[in-house]
Amino acid sequence: MSLPISPRRVARTAGIAVAVALAVGLVAPLVVTAAGAFVHADWYGQRSEGAAAGGALGLFRYVLGLWSGALVTSLRLVGTVVPLALLIGTPAAFAFRRRPFPGSGSLETLAMTPLAIPGIALAVGLLLGAGRAPRFGLLVAGHLAYTLPLVLKTVSNALEREGADLERVARSLGAGPWKTAAWVTLPRLVPGLVLSALLVFAVSWGEFNVSFLLATPIVQTFPAALYLTYTTNSFPVAAAATLIFLAPIVPAFLAIQALGGEEFRRGLSV
Amino acid sequence: MWPLARLAAGAFSSPDAFLKVLAAGRYRTSLVNSLALSTAAAFVSVALAIVPAWVFARERFPGRDLVRTAVSLPLTFSGVLVGFLVIVMLGRIGAVPKLAGLLTGRELFAGSAFTLAGLFLAYLYFEIPRAVMTLEAAFRHFPLELDAAARSLGAGPIARLLHVTLPYAAPALFSTLAVTFSASMGSFGVALVLARRFTVAPLEIYTELTAFLNDAVAGALCIALAALTFGVDRLFARRSA
Amino acid sequence: MLRFVSGALLRACFIITLAVLLAPSAAFALPAAGEDKIVIQYDCIPNYANWGGVTALYKQVAGVTVPPDPKGSSVAMAALEKEKDNPVADCAYYSGAIGYQAAQKGLHQPYKPKGWEKIPDSLKDPNGLWWTVHTGTIAFVVNTKALAGAPVPQSFADLLKPVYKGKVAYDDPTWGGTSFTFVYGLNELMGGTEKDFRPGLSYLKKLDANVSSYPRESIYNSVLRGEVPIWINADGNGYKMKYVDGGPVEVVIPAEGTFTMPLVMGLAVGAPHADETKRYFDWLLSAPAQAEFAKSFFRPVVAGTLPAELATKFLPDADYKKARALDLSNMAAAADALKKAWLDEIRGTGR
């Protein structure tokens, strides 16, 4: 009892040390990247863009000028995919959980399959089946295929956790099905919805397979532009572009942590 | 689902594309490489994830949230980003060789980003967060009473880990293996940036598609890759049930 | 009462969340990238032949955007072929042989840009299906710092020495036309013909031991940074690294001889912005555009547009006497077979 160091404490400290070491290892490349953009570009050899020479600010201005089209495309894509995924996914999850119909089980399995097949296969399938469909529409379809299962899963979990008791109570008190859904079910789903929205946002913002294979010089997402930057631009420009890519993700993750995002993380790791 | 049907239809309409893919040569090598690399990455990342996942699930310590956020962040990184980060660290003039040069006078690991080891590290980079988060969720439901009972029976920490915790967590470990494995199989960006002499199936698919207009072979490769992924996933899933 | 307040609170939360989520849709109010005047050129790599500078200049003088595109010649041709029924691109830029092949495949429509008469006859198609915009020469681009003490290689024979193990790269010839020109020319240099690839492939097989990668993207920056010490590519890219970017780079014309390479363009069949593209083509042959290409040391096709101070920075003419022109029609005829042979024999099983 009075031992200053118990095995339990040693194990705990060692475990924490391992976790911290892992985090440091994962973050170190990001720090080095940021340093490359801001501090001392010459660490990474000669640079090739004279235009980007004017300090960190000039660098970012140069990158934004270079890829503003891709940024706008990505923002539009996310702006379309997030609401669509929620608008389709939430009622679908509700139907699967609360109002199963003949074939709903297999439909649900079908909707979940994009998670189980390799990303590249899905992208190639879309591309080969593309025909004359507008590219932006295809991108939206591809991203929906990836993100809908996440919404279904998150919302289903939330519905199961909440249970149907309150809804039954509301119904027995005379509320119609719509009223019940709007006033009882939906409000209690808000945390789940916020998390699925963030989830869809994060996945869609970073998605590469579909975006890259379906990209044209006009319709190009930011991750696809990142690849171009890594291959054609010098290190500081690539580093600055990387930081721009991370800019919306890091705050989103911190916000999720603050919200207590178990659900979110589990969803993401699917 | 339609794209998948399209894929299958395209592939089955030209059976010789399938034969080409399965015959010895570049395509089969790429499939075998993908399988080997993804399996290895899955096992190693799960092994490395056990301790941090347990710590996050069980322990409170100052800065825990920050550490967890840091670990989960790479989940959203696209493959090309991970590839770039590995080059930043381990390229011929990457940060690690530079640092090693400062400390020891020899630039160790220079250029290792482009070797198989570099590619493997890149896979680990995006699989470890996935593994940690999936396992953490599982460990959270671990009944501590079991552990306490074992302890009161005199079992030491290692014995408890081997005989109580791990057997209990086995299903979770297997399902985590499945999750990380399938993500690796489909990953494309990392290999696009890093793979030099070594080839993986997604890379061959991309090449067939863009350089040779060989939709049939690309489709057949996709189907083969999907089938492999599905098969191994089932294998893991049976153990996790 | 409490229940009511918390319900209202939840609903407010829900509405706010929705608003936040829908906010990115505001991006639709932003001007779309596709709405300004645009010309889509396949194979428009900013660091190759100063396309970055040329397209920036065109944006400035004409207000037309020509977005960068990372495809190599062969990939550009493949994309045009694939999109034949539903054209995306207006034009493409290739190494001569691949552009010739693309024209043969019926992927181009005729156009003779302003200044057509200034292009030597051997460097254009009589019907206007393709024409040269500038020429380059295959050379070793060597980052001397990254060689880490090894001597600068002077010949193809030198490159086989063990001291260059892991230090040599040339682009995948199934991706880029420059590299295809190198592989085809090398075969002729080693005694092969357009039917017999063995001499070239046997050299490349030996070289394989020293090759670090067969990139399928531009590695201009990798060479400049020192990731890749020796790149077999166009001379101009090396001069640009040396004189424009100030890198520790030398350009070497191999002692055994080398090959010149016309770089050509053509108007795609069904080009969505055909008129805009024609104006762009006219401008590309104008003196300012040709001088802008010359800044990256690709020799302008229009005589007299190479600024004198740039001309002095090339290696002496004695070196360039070793460069021979290759027959584009033979090259185009051999292209598919040679690429396949290279894949089978050199890249092999992709170990």
Side-chain angles (χ1 to χ4, degrees):
Chain A
M1 273 316 273
S2 60
L3 270 178
I5 308 167
S6 71
R8 158 103 186 98
R9 280 188 75 99
V10 173
R12 176 177 188 269
T13 316
I16 293 174
V18 170
V20 171
L22 184 70
V24 169
L26 290 172
V27 170
L30 294 177
V31 174
V32 175
T33 303
F38 288 112
V39 188
H40 206 303
D42 296 346
W43 281 346
Y44 293 98
Q46 212 68 38
R47 54 201 295 181
S48 66
E49 289 91 352
L57 204 67
L59 191 61
F60 277 102
R61 202 172 295 143
Y62 178 81
V63 174
L64 284 176
L66 210 55
W67 300 120
S68 57
L71 260 180
V72 171
T73 305
S74 263
L75 283 174
R76 283 170 172 232
L77 191 60
V78 170
T80 314
V81 169
V82 172
L84 271 185
L86 284 189
L87 287 177
I88 302 172
T90 312
F94 184 78
F96 291 150
R97 283 295 148 273
R98 297 284 197 263
R99 305 252 189 295
F101 49 91
S104 72
S106 27
L107 195 64
E108 191 179 357
T109 317
L110 205 63
M112 300 302 285
T113 40
L115 287 185
I117 55 174
I120 179 99
L122 188 69
V124 171
L126 263 178
L127 186 69
L128 294 185
R132 283 168 174 278
R135 287 298 165 108
F136 188 78
L138 279 176
L139 281 179
V140 171
H143 281 218
L144 276 180
Y146 279 116
T147 51
L148 262 183
L150 303 178
V151 177
L152 282 178
K153 223 176 144 95
T154 324
V155 176
S156 291
N157 284 347
L159 280 169
E160 267 166 18
R161 204 177 37 241
E162 293 295 338
D165 295 350
L166 262 189
E167 288 161 33
R168 276 195 286 272
V169 171
R171 293 299 297 279
S172 72
L173 290 177
W178 289 106
K179 210 171 173 186
T180 313
W183 291 87
V184 180
T185 316
L186 259 186
R188 293 159 60 86
L189 283 182
V190 167
L193 289 177
V194 174
L195 289 173
S196 16
L198 286 166
L199 184 64
V200 173
F201 168 78
V203 169
S204 179
W205 180 253
E207 202 280 334
F208 180 73
N209 287 336
V210 168
S211 305
F212 181 65
L213 282 175
L214 291 177
T216 69
I218 310 181
V219 182
Q220 192 171 55
T221 69
F222 199 62
L226 268 187
Y227 171 66
L228 278 187
T229 264
Y230 292 156
T231 56
T232 63
N233 293 117
S234 62
F235 181 83
V237 172
T242 304
L243 293 185
I244 292 174
F245 172 80
L246 290 177
I249 294 187
V250 175
F253 264 67
L254 287 172
I256 292 154
Q257 190 67 53
L259 288 172
E262 300 313 319
E263 189 83 21
F264 175 76
R265 247 178 274 274
R266 231 177 309 148
L268 253 193
S269 63
V270 162
Chain B
M1 275 322 90
W2 182 63
L4 274 189
R6 174 71 183 70
L7 256 190
F12 285 115
S13 63
S14 56
D16 46 321
F18 255 115
L19 292 179
K20 247 192 235 164
V21 164
L22 297 179
R26 205 167 61 249
Y27 307 129
R28 197 171 74 183
T29 309
S30 74
L31 284 169
V32 172
N33 285 354
S34 268
L35 191 63
L37 193 63
S38 304
T39 313
F43 275 99
V44 174
S45 56
V46 168
L48 289 176
I50 291 176
V51 171
W54 181 259
V55 168
F56 291 144
R58 287 286 164 224
E59 307 290 347
R60 313 264 146 213
F61 56 94
R64 169 176 171 277
D65 285 357
L66 206 64
V67 175
R68 271 176 87 218
T69 307
V71 171
S72 61
L73 193 59
L75 279 175
T76 57
F77 291 2
S78 61
V80 283
L81 177 51
V82 176
F84 173 72
L85 293 179
V86 172
I87 295 177
V88 165
M89 298 308 278
L90 291 171
R92 201 178 275 276
I93 42 173
V96 171
K98 285 255 148 153
L99 198 66
L102 281 180
L103 295 179
T104 68
R106 287 199 52 206
E107 302 212 334
L108 305 169
F109 305 113
S112 52
F114 303 106
T115 64
L116 185 55
L119 194 61
F120 185 67
L121 273 180
Y123 273 69
L124 286 188
Y125 189 91
F126 67 82
E127 293 308 3
I128 288 179
R130 217 171 282 273
V132 171
M133 292 312 147
T134 318
L135 275 182
E136 183 192 331
F139 285 159
R140 209 166 274 278
H141 303 296
F142 180 75
L144 275 187
E145 310 85 70
L146 266 185
D147 197 57
R151 192 184 344 194
S152 67
L153 291 174
I158 292 175
R160 292 205 305 278
L161 183 74
L162 284 181
H163 298 298
V164 180
T165 314
L166 280 184
Y168 184 85
L173 288 177
F174 278 109
S175 69
T176 311
L177 278 176
V179 164
T180 49
F181 172 80
S182 8
S184 296
M185 285 295 269
S187 161
F188 164 56
V190 167
L192 190 64
V193 175
L194 288 183
R196 286 297 176 256
R197 305 298 301 266
F198 190 82
T199 181
V200 290
L203 211 54
E204 287 302 321
I205 294 170
Y206 171 66
T207 310
E208 288 305 318
L209 211 58
T210 55
F212 304 117
L213 295 177
N214 205 339
D215 292 357
V217 167
L221 265 172
C222 280
I223 297 283
L225 186 70
L228 270 179
T229 311
F230 192 70
V232 176
D233 261 1
R234 287 285 96 192
L235 223 65
F236 286 138
R238 204 177 312 153
R239 285 165 196 280
S240 70
Chain C
M1 181 62 196
L2 193 66
R3 170 101 5 126
F4 175 75
V5 170
S6 77
L9 209 65
L10 275 173
R11 246 171 301 118
C13 277
F14 181 61
I15 290 161
I16 290 169
T17 313
L18 256 187
V20 168
L21 294 179
L22 291 171
S25 312
F28 282 95
L30 295 170
E35 278 163 19
D36 16 309
K37 286 196 279 184
I38 195 162
V39 169
I40 297 177
Q41 172 186 331
Y42 279 170
D43 191 343
C44 186
I45 300 173
N47 271 321
Y48 193 101
N50 199 24
W51 278 110
V54 170
T55 52
L57 183 62
Y58 194 54
K59 173 91 189 169
Q60 205 183 323
V61 300
V64 177
T65 306
V66 185
D69 180 77
K71 295 180 187 67
S73 300
S74 293
V75 176
M77 177 174 76
L80 285 189
E81 199 171 359
K82 173 172 271 180
E83 293 158 359
K84 221 169 163 182
D85 298 330
N86 186 21
V88 175
D90 297 302
C91 60
Y93 166 76
Y94 323 80
S95 295
I98 309 298
Y100 188 101
Q101 200 189 359
Q104 265 182 341
K105 288 187 178 194
L107 303 176
H108 293 173
Q109 50 175 312
Y111 179 65
K112 294 183 180 177
K114 263 186 214 141
W116 178 256
E117 63 291 343
K118 292 181 204 153
I119 305 174
D121 283 343
S122 63
L123 295 179
K124 64 188 176 193
D125 173 65
N127 299 318
L129 289 178
W130 58 267
W131 60 92
T132 301
V133 287
H134 47 237
T135 60
T137 303
I138 304 296
F140 303 161
V141 175
V142 183
N143 185 318
T144 50
K145 208 168 147 198
L147 273 182
V152 176
Q154 298 298 329
S155 64
F156 285 117
D158 280 354
L159 285 189
L160 297 181
K161 292 178 181 165
V163 65
Y164 300 116
K165 188 165 176 52
K167 295 197 164 121
V168 183
Y170 64 91
D171 300 346
D172 183 334
T174 68
W175 174 79
T178 306
S179 204
F180 172 74
T181 307
F182 157 64
V183 170
Y184 182 91
L186 182 86
N187 182 52
E188 273 199 359
L189 188 73
M190 301 280 161
T193 66
E194 70 271 16
K195 299 246 159 53
D196 174 19
F197 307 136
R198 273 170 306 177
L201 289 178
S202 101
Y203 173 85
L204 291 176
K205 217 175 246 174
K206 282 181 240 155
L207 184 63
D208 184 68
N210 283 348
V211 169
S212 64
S213 71
Y214 299 111
R216 297 183 59 81
E217 74 263 332
S218 164
I219 56 167
Y220 181 95
N221 273 291
S222 304
V223 179
L224 183 62
R225 285 176 58 201
E227 291 281 0
V228 177
I230 303 168
W231 188 27
I232 308 174
N233 203 262
D235 57 346
N237 291 331
Y239 292 128
K240 178 165 177 266
M241 287 179 202
K242 180 175 178 176
Y243 294 114
V244 178
D245 298 323
V249 171
E250 291 299 332
V251 176
V252 177
I253 302 287
E256 294 92 338
T258 185
F259 337 99
T260 58
M261 171 178 61
L263 291 134
V264 307
M265 300 188 75
L267 181 61
V269 167
H273 318 93
D275 292 335
E276 201 61 74
T277 310
K278 288 174 181 176
R279 281 192 288 276
Y280 172 59
F281 281 149
D282 294 346
W283 179 78
L284 284 179
L285 289 178
S286 71
Q290 290 279 304
E292 190 70 19
F293 282 132
K295 282 188 190 162
S296 67
F297 301 90
F298 278 73
R299 294 174 192 264
V301 71
V302 176
T305 50
L306 178 64
E309 80 275 12
L310 292 179
T312 60
K313 290 180 174 165
F314 281 90
L315 287 171
D317 284 347
D319 276 315
Y320 279 99
K321 286 228 172 65
K322 288 185 281 187
R324 57 167 104 173
L326 300 166
D327 184 286
L328 294 185
S329 69
N330 284 346
M331 284 174 88
D336 291 344
L338 179 54
K339 284 187 212 165
K340 190 176 177 312
W342 182 87
L343 267 185
D344 291 343
E345 306 238 343
I346 309 298
R347 207 176 72 164
T349 52
R351 63 179 150 93

